[in-house]
Amino acid sequence: MLESSSVLLFIVFALLFISLLCVVLIRKNGTAALIWHEIIKEKITNFIMNQSKERRILNFVLQNAVRGDPCSVMETIDKYCSEKEWAMNVGDVKGVILDKTVEEINPKVALELGTYCGYSAVRIARLLKAGARLLTVEFNPEFAAIAKQMIEFAGVQDKVKLLEGPSEVIIPQLKKKYEVDTLDFVFVDHWKDRYAPDTILLQVLCRSLLPAGQISNQLTHGITTWKSGRDTLLSPSSAFNFPS
């Protein structure tokens, strides 16, 4: 009896030690934190609630934000992600940089690769002038459906066209199918393994999307590149050119 109690006590202390070690790793190690939040914790929560994190974010917005108010939608998403579950949105801090760039460029046609839940699409669209438009590309059907509802709830659907499908398929269709003659601004915010291929693809199509004579100088001098985490912002001094 005493031996079995000692074994049980040892198991309890071992589990407590492992739990404490996991907490320390999550707090100190970014990779461990990402694995915990994005794989372990999220999967457990999804199973218990029978609902994806992205659907939970949308429901929180529908219940707490003001319909037709983009800023209210953004603030509500930020609140959810800071207090409940982390999500891969650009967020309020980096969002200020995004806002500033959109306001400086004042694009007539903007492109976003990676819509996710629609946060950055709403953020960009609210700053677009009358007649301007944002094309946002999302590969995941569930994310696309959620983003569509988010964009409509925010009241910016007239400025945003959501294109569902792989970026490598949609990019070559921009000129003919979606009538894009010039891209003034591109926000790359999808999977990291698509950054280089899609940038190269945009570069290849650059000459057909830009007026003659605007390519070479801006390719080497006109690009502002901001990278933070999984977000890359590419914007030129005037019409967008695709970096080499």
Side-chain angles (χ1 to χ4, degrees), residues 15-240:
L15 290 173
L16 287 173
F17 175 76
I18 293 171
S19 299
L20 181 62
L21 184 62
C22 288
V23 170
V24 172
L25 282 172
I26 289 168
R27 289 184 176 180
K28 299 292 184 180
N29 186 286
T31 302
L34 186 64
I35 291 172
W36 167 252
H37 287 291
E38 285 297 291
I39 299 177
I40 302 173
K41 183 180 177 182
E42 183 179 335
K43 297 299 182 185
I44 293 172
T45 307
N46 290 353
F47 177 77
I48 293 172
M49 300 188 70
N50 192 29
Q51 190 180 63
S52 69
K53 175 176 66 177
E54 293 72 26
R55 178 60 60 178
R56 292 192 290 274
I57 293 173
L58 174 63
N59 289 342
F60 188 79
V61 169
L62 297 179
Q63 294 167 11
N64 296 279
V66 178
R67 179 181 290 274
D69 186 341
C71 290
S72 175
V73 169
M74 289 159 40
E75 289 167 3
T76 305
I77 295 174
D78 287 332
K79 179 181 175 69
Y80 184 91
C81 294
S82 63
E83 296 180 0
K84 298 180 180 294
E85 296 181 272
W86 178 89
M88 51 185 180
N89 300 306
V90 67
D92 53 348
V93 176
K94 292 184 289 183
V96 173
I97 302 173
L98 180 61
D99 291 350
K100 183 179 179 182
T101 306
V102 172
E103 289 172 336
E104 288 177 352
I105 300 298
N106 189 23
K108 291 182 179 179
V109 181
L111 173 68
E112 176 188 37
L113 300 180
T115 316
Y116 189 44
C117 290
Y119 177 93
S120 50
V122 170
R123 189 159 201 128
I124 293 169
R126 86 192 202 285
L127 299 174
L128 297 179
K129 300 293 177 59
R133 59 175 173 150
L134 168 68
L135 303 176
T136 180
V137 180
E138 177 54 54
F139 172 76
N140 186 305
E142 182 190 1
F143 295 170
I146 289 170
K148 184 176 184 293
Q149 293 181 70
M150 194 78 75
I151 290 165
E152 290 176 351
F153 186 83
V156 294
Q157 66 273 17
D158 291 342
K159 294 181 178 180
V160 181
K161 187 173 184 62
L162 199 157
L163 311 178
E164 184 182 334
S167 53
E168 64 270 26
V169 173
I170 291 176
I171 290 173
Q173 299 175 341
L174 288 175
K175 186 172 179 65
K176 290 187 177 181
K177 187 172 181 178
Y178 301 107
E179 300 178 337
V180 176
D181 293 320
T182 301
L183 285 173
D184 304 304
F185 173 86
V186 174
F187 183 45
V188 182
D189 191 27
H190 57 345
W191 295 110
K192 191 169 285 187
D193 61 356
R194 289 300 315 167
Y195 281 12
D198 285 344
T199 299
I200 292 170
L201 187 56
L202 286 167
Q203 179 186 346
V204 169
L205 298 174
C206 174
R207 295 182 182 278
S208 65
L209 292 174
L210 292 170
Q214 292 189 359
I215 298 174
S216 59
N217 288 339
Q218 290 175 6
L219 275 174
T220 54
H221 302 296
I223 302 298
T224 299
T225 303
W226 160 61
K227 291 185 178 180
S228 181
R230 62 186 298 279
D231 309 312
T232 301
L233 182 64
L234 302 171
S235 59
S237 52
S238 56
F240 179 78

Side-chain angles (χ1 to χ4, degrees), residues 5-19:
S5 298
S6 298
V7 171
L8 182 62
L9 191 62
F10 172 78
I11 293 173
V12 170
F13 276 111
L15 290 173
L16 287 173
F17 175 76
I18 293 171
S19 299

